[in-house]
Amino acid sequence: MKINLNNTVLSITAGRPDQLKFDKTPQIAFSGRSNVGKSSLINKLLNRKSLARVSSEPGKTITANYYTVDKMLHFVDLPGYGYAKRSDAEQKRWSALVETYFAKIAKDIAESGEKRLVFQLIDSRHGPTTDDNMMLGWLGHYGIPYCIVATKCDKLNKTEFKQNIDALHTHPLISEDAEIIPFSALKGTGRDRLWEIIEDFLFFEDENVD
């Protein structure tokens, strides 16, 4: 069976916890700081140029956007964090939305074995920030399976690449079970491996992705 990536639609834009969708369809959430490259990653995975769009004011849009891929899978683009100009009220909205999402998918996994996974994005140039560490702590607290996607790796020279990726492998808050995938939206580095992970997650055997 092939996944028809052209059959991908923005199906839900959730701005409140009660608008989040939890059904039997497998979900992969994309979590990361504002401007870490979530939209670029989603577009690259789906071979699209602008399905996932960057907000005109980074960090201001607080919604979880669900992209339904061939009616088989939801890509859930969680709102970015770490935006310095976000007000206290906006920060509370973000916290309510994201923590509700994590708490619910953890419950789905524990109680009914629903398929849930998080791609946690970290800028490979800088390593985990304080906010990234908070997210890693949440993922560990809730026991949610995740992979680290080290974005913008094309910006590093060979020495920096080795040092920064090695540092992620030894980071105390990153689970030993979490695979670390260097990724470049520009060069496509890591795309094939991410699709292998997605296919394994879906328990597809000998599947091809268009």
Side-chain angles (χ1 to χ4, degrees), residues 24-40:
K24 298 295 184 182
T25 304
Q27 296 188 14
I28 296 179
F30 295 74
S31 169
R33 284 176 55 86
S34 299
N35 296 329
V36 74
K38 288 191 287 90
S39 296
S40 297

Side-chain angles (χ1 to χ4, degrees), residues 2-210:
K2 294 183 178 181
I3 300 174
N4 181 5
L5 300 185
N6 292 321
N7 187 21
T8 299
V9 295
L10 174 61
S11 54
I12 297 173
T13 298
R16 303 190 312 267
D18 63 291
Q19 295 175 326
L20 293 168
K21 182 175 182 178
F22 304 101
D23 57 14
K24 298 295 184 182
T25 304
Q27 296 188 14
I28 296 179
F30 295 74
S31 169
R33 284 176 55 86
S34 299
N35 296 329
V36 74
K38 288 191 287 90
S39 296
S40 297
L41 171 58
I42 292 171
N43 287 329
K44 192 67 176 180
L45 287 172
L46 297 173
N47 286 331
R48 304 286 279 274
K49 291 185 177 180
S50 58
L51 179 66
R53 296 186 178 183
V54 178
S55 170
S56 59
E57 290 187 78
K60 292 291 287 183
T61 302
I62 305 175
T63 58
N65 298 325
Y66 287 68
Y67 300 93
T68 302
V69 184
D70 205 18
K71 300 181 181 179
M72 295 182 177
L73 170 69
H74 298 310
F75 280 176
V76 185
D77 185 6
L78 296 175
Y81 53 82
Y83 185 65
K85 295 182 180 180
R86 184 170 287 164
S87 68
D88 288 344
E90 290 169 331
Q91 179 62 34
K92 288 178 180 178
R93 283 180 54 211
W94 177 89
S95 295
L97 190 68
V98 175
E99 191 161 9
T100 297
Y101 181 83
F102 282 161
K104 182 61 171 68
I105 65 172
K107 185 177 181 181
D108 286 348
I109 294 168
E111 295 186 355
S112 54
E114 300 295 347
K115 299 176 187 176
R116 310 293 187 233
L117 178 67
V118 173
F119 285 164
Q120 176 61 41
L121 279 66
I122 293 175
D123 191 324
S124 66
R125 299 171 298 175
H126 310 302
T129 64
T130 299
D131 292 314
D132 291 327
N133 288 335
M134 176 195 69
M135 295 305 298
L136 292 168
W138 273 13
L139 291 169
H141 171 74
Y142 286 116
I144 298 168
Y146 65 92
C147 298
I148 299 294
V149 182
T151 63
K152 306 183 182 182
C153 68
D154 57 285
K155 307 294 185 183
L156 302 172
N157 61 39
K158 290 183 178 179
T159 300
E160 292 170 335
F161 180 89
K162 184 179 187 309
Q163 290 176 341
N164 293 8
I165 299 302
D166 285 350
L168 291 175
H169 280 286
T170 58
H171 192 281
L173 291 177
I174 295 177
S175 169
E176 293 182 358
D177 295 329
E179 184 170 347
I180 297 169
I181 303 96
F183 177 79
S184 166
L186 179 64
K187 296 184 177 181
T189 305
R191 181 184 184 273
D192 288 347
R193 178 56 191 150
L194 286 168
W195 267 112
E196 288 174 357
I197 291 169
I198 293 168
E199 290 174 355
D200 287 344
F201 166 72
L202 293 172
F203 298 113
F204 285 177
E205 295 181 1
D206 299 322
E207 300 292 334
N208 293 313
V209 178
D210 288 337

